[in-house]
């Protein structure tokens, strides 16, 4: 029988019997077609019949399509009435697999400020619940996409208040990133302030680390510097964890020169560095540090690594580190030879130092040159880049890195003083990576001016 039973049937003949038709596949299509015809009398007739049952119809597998059509073709006054009638049930409708589509379409058709305020009032107390739900999170994202930032402030307030809960959730971490995308400048700072303050916790989480990386990818030096400051003192511990190691690598890549030096400085400890080189995650941080360090600091890092290489040479990570240092050594020798052609008789290198080089103090004869003593692992003494220091320089000063007092990174952020982004009018010294004035608890308005 199907759709044929409605052939030639007038809508007036169905008055009083439309509710069952709304839940019928073919009856629902028939009523949608009547709305699409654009006859105001038919629209009002359908509206009057289904208005008392609108919330129920929004979650029905078939009737939800009719409810979407009615929201589209209703007058502003009718739409006001529909939205206000379902406001008490809007959250439960949004959590429903069919209802979420109807609510999203409703947001598309909001046409008056009264409707917007009804929506905000209905969702305001359940933003986090919706964000964490498979269906409900799409309603929040629709608000972010469709409403202006000032109307979405209720979302930003909820997300900022429950930053860790949202950022460490499978759906929440995605919604938080969309919040950043659609935020005004003040809203973006509001969110990034909370993300930065909780960054030590977030970077160790399977989902939260992506939120911190997303902030770093904004390429805003204020945000990058604030996050780097939170990590200082904990770089080695973070480097040895699965999720946070990725964030440390990104910090090395995107930080300014001061921040990058501060991060790599924490790796320059022989005992700590040996553990990091053996670690399946931290060794990648060391490799990234070798790639991005400034020449002087890279030389210092190589010097610290060289004595460790024999102990890790047979590990997969050790081979990669060894190869990277060997290439670095060759590149340095090439640059030196370019500036000193006498070192390259006939256009070829002679006596190129090797990581597997001769024993300490063995001499290598370069054709046409005097003999020079070799340091450990075949590096000429006196070269700060290849294995020694000038006799008048002495060894590099010892590095005193800060270790977590109790080894629990989850508590670290409570032990550190949080400083706002530099240059934001909070009295902090711009560009400093030490302790800064104006701790988190002392910020007026909980954020930045």
């Amino acid at each position: 029988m199907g759709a044929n039973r409605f052939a030639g049937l007038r809508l007036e003949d169905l008055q009083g019997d439309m509710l069952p038709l709304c839940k019928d596949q073919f009856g629902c299509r028939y009523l949608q077609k009547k709305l699409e015809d654009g006859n105001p009398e038919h629209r009002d007739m359908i509206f009057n019949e289904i208005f008392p049952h609108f919330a129920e119809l929004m979650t029905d597998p078939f009737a939800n399509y009719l409810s979407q059509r009615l929201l589209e073709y209703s007058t502003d006054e009718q739409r006001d009435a529909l939205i206000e009638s379902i406001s008490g049930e809007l959250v439960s409708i949004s959590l429903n697999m069919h209802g979420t589509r109807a609510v999203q379409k409703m947001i598309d058709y909001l046409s008056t400020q009264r409707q917007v305020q009804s929506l905000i009032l209905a969702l305001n107390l359940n933003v986090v619940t919706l964000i964490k739900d498979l269906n409900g999170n799409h309603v929040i994202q629709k608000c972010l996409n469709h409403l202006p930032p000032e109307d979405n402030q209720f979302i930003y307030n909820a997300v900022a208040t429950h930053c860790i809960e949202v950022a460490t959730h499978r759906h929440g971490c995605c919604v938080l990133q969309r919040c950043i995308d659609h935020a005004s400048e003040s809203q973006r700072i509001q969110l990034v302030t909370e993300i930065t303050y909780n960054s030590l916790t977030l970077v160790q989480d399977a989902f939260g680390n992506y939120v911190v990386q997303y902030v770093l990818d904004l390429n805003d030096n204020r945000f990058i510097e604030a996050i780097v400051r939170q990590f200082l003192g904990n770089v080695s511990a973070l480097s040895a964890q699965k999720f946070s190691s990725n964030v440390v690598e990104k910090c090395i890549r995107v930080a300014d020169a001061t921040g990058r030096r501060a991060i790599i400085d924490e790796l320059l400890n022989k005992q700590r560095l040996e553990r990091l080189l053996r670690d399946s995650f931290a060794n990648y941080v060391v490799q990234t540090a070798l790639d991005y360090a400034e020449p002087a600091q890279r030389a210092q890092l190589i010097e610290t690594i060289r004595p460790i290489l024999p102990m890790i040479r047979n590990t997969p990570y050790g081979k990669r580190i060894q190869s990277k240092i060997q290439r670095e050594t060759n590149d340095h020798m090439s640059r030196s030879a370019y500036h000193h052609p006498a070192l390259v008789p006939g256009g070829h290198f002679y006596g190129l130092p090797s990581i597997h080089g001769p024993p300490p103090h063995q001499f290598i004869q370069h054709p046409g040159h005097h003999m020079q003593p070799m340091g450990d692992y075949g590096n000429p003494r006196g070269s700060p880049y290849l294995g020694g220091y000038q006799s008048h320089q002495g060894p590099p000063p010892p590095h005193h890195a800060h270790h977590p007092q109790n080894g629990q990174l989850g508590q670290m952020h409570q032990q550190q003083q949080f400083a706002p982004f530099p240059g934001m009018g909070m009295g902090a010294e711009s560009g400093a990576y030490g302790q800064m004035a104006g701790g988190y608890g002392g910020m007026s308005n909980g954020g930045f001016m």
Side-chain angles (χ1 to χ4, degrees):
M1 188 173 178
N4 293 331
R5 72 179 189 268
F6 297 103
L9 189 65
R10 298 188 313 151
L11 187 64
E12 290 79 2
D13 297 333
L14 299 174
Q15 280 187 299
D17 297 316
M18 288 188 192
L19 183 60
L21 291 180
C22 294
K23 300 181 179 182
D24 175 81
Q25 180 179 3
F26 300 105
C28 177
R29 289 180 180 175
Y30 171 79
L31 294 175
Q32 289 181 66
K33 182 66 171 59
K34 289 299 180 181
L35 287 173
E36 293 167 1
D37 289 342
N39 187 324
E41 293 182 1
H42 288 172
R43 177 200 62 206
D44 294 344
M45 194 180 303
I46 295 173
F47 175 85
N48 291 331
E49 289 254 351
I50 70 175
F51 173 74
H53 312 282
F54 196 65
E56 174 189 350
L57 298 179
M58 290 180 77
T59 59
D60 184 83
F62 299 119
N64 81 88
Y65 295 105
L66 177 62
S67 68
Q68 294 178 45
R69 278 285 181 265
L70 186 59
L71 286 164
E72 179 180 359
Y73 289 101
S74 293
T75 64
D76 287 345
E77 292 75 17
Q78 289 173 335
R79 202 175 292 115
D80 287 346
L82 286 171
I83 295 174
E84 289 174 5
S85 72
I86 63 170
S87 60
E89 301 174 70
L90 194 58
V91 172
S92 61
I93 295 172
S94 300
L95 299 175
N96 180 271
M97 63 181 298
H98 304 298
T100 183
R101 298 177 181 274
V103 175
Q104 291 173 62
K105 189 63 69 173
M106 181 189 78
I107 295 171
D108 281 333
Y109 295 131
L110 294 176
S111 56
T112 68
Q113 194 58 32
R114 178 179 173 180
Q115 295 166 21
V116 173
Q117 291 305 313
S118 295
L119 173 74
I120 294 173
L121 188 63
L123 302 181
N124 185 39
L125 298 179
N126 294 278
V127 171
V128 176
T129 299
L130 292 168
I131 286 176
K132 295 168 65 176
D133 184 75
L134 176 64
N135 301 308
N137 81 87
H138 296 291
V139 171
I140 298 299
Q141 292 194 57
K142 175 62 74 171
C143 290
L144 293 170
N145 284 321
H146 188 76
L147 301 179
E150 57 270 19
D151 287 335
N152 283 324
Q153 187 61 48
F154 75 103
I155 297 176
Y156 289 93
N157 292 341
V159 171
T161 302
H162 303 278
C163 178
I164 293 179
E165 182 180 357
V166 172
T168 57
H169 188 271
R170 178 183 299 274
H171 305 309
C173 73
C174 298
V175 176
L176 207 164
Q177 292 174 54
R178 300 293 78 75
C179 286
I180 294 173
D181 289 341
H182 296 283
S184 65
E185 179 64 13
S186 62
Q187 289 168 339
R188 184 173 291 111
I189 290 176
Q190 179 186 12
L191 289 186
V192 175
T193 299
E194 294 299 326
I195 293 168
T196 302
Y197 179 64
N198 295 290
S199 57
L200 272 176
T201 299
L202 297 181
V203 295
Q204 299 173 71
D205 181 78
F207 303 111
N209 81 91
Y210 291 112
V211 174
V212 179
Q213 291 191 58
Y214 199 77
V215 173
L216 293 171
D217 285 334
L218 295 175
N219 290 321
D220 189 316
N221 287 333
R222 299 170 301 170
F223 304 157
I224 294 171
E225 184 176 327
I227 290 174
V228 169
R229 281 200 307 271
Q230 289 293 93
F231 294 164
L232 294 182
N234 306 309
V235 171
S236 295
L238 293 173
S239 298
Q241 295 189 16
K242 179 177 181 179
F243 305 116
S244 55
S245 64
N246 293 319
V247 185
V248 175
E249 284 190 69
K250 178 156 289 188
C251 285
I252 293 173
R253 294 188 187 100
V254 304
D256 61 14
T258 304
R260 186 179 297 114
R261 281 195 300 270
I263 294 172
I264 298 176
D265 271 345
E266 295 198 19
L267 306 177
L268 293 173
N269 175 284
K270 182 178 178 181
Q271 291 182 338
R272 184 186 306 133
L273 189 56
E274 181 177 349
R275 292 196 300 270
L276 296 179
L277 288 171
R278 292 178 181 274
D279 186 83
S280 58
F281 304 117
N283 81 91
Y284 290 104
V285 175
V286 177
Q287 292 183 55
T288 301
L290 285 169
D291 290 336
Y292 286 85
E294 294 175 341
Q297 195 176 39
R298 184 184 295 116
Q300 191 178 2
L301 185 58
I302 290 174
E303 284 303 308
T304 310
I305 293 174
R306 282 191 187 280
I308 305 171
L309 279 177
M311 293 176 279
I312 64 169
R313 183 175 294 155
N314 294 325
T315 67
Y317 321 122
K319 291 176 181 177
R320 282 196 291 267
I321 296 286
Q322 179 174 294
S323 175
K324 190 178 290 287
I325 292 179
Q326 184 65 61
R327 286 196 303 271
E328 186 70 35
T329 301
N330 292 344
D331 290 345
H332 179 72
M333 292 298 293
S334 298
R335 290 192 296 270
S336 298
Y338 178 80
H339 294 292
H340 303 282
L343 295 177
V344 197
H348 298 284
F349 287 111
Y350 284 82
L352 181 65
S354 168
I355 293 175
H356 307 284
H361 311 303
Q362 183 175 338
F363 290 85
I364 290 182
Q365 177 68 50
H366 293 259
H369 294 279
H370 64 278
M371 295 165 59
Q372 55 178 323
M374 301 299 294
D376 292 346
Y377 304 103
N379 299 313
R381 293 190 182 277
S383 169
Y385 204 84
L386 297 177
Y389 287 84
Q390 301 290 349
S391 58
H392 64 276
Q393 289 180 328
H399 176 73
H400 301 286
H402 299 285
H403 289 276
Q405 296 299 316
N406 56 10
Q408 299 296 321
L409 286 178
Q411 303 297 322
M412 289 177 185
H413 69 283
Q414 298 176 3
Q415 300 170 7
Q416 295 184 340
Q417 183 181 25
F418 178 74
F421 309 128
M424 294 301 294
M426 293 302 299
E429 295 183 9
S430 177
Y433 279 84
Q435 292 291 336
M436 301 181 66
Y440 183 80
M443 289 194 293
S444 60
N445 301 324
F448 302 95
M449 302 301 291

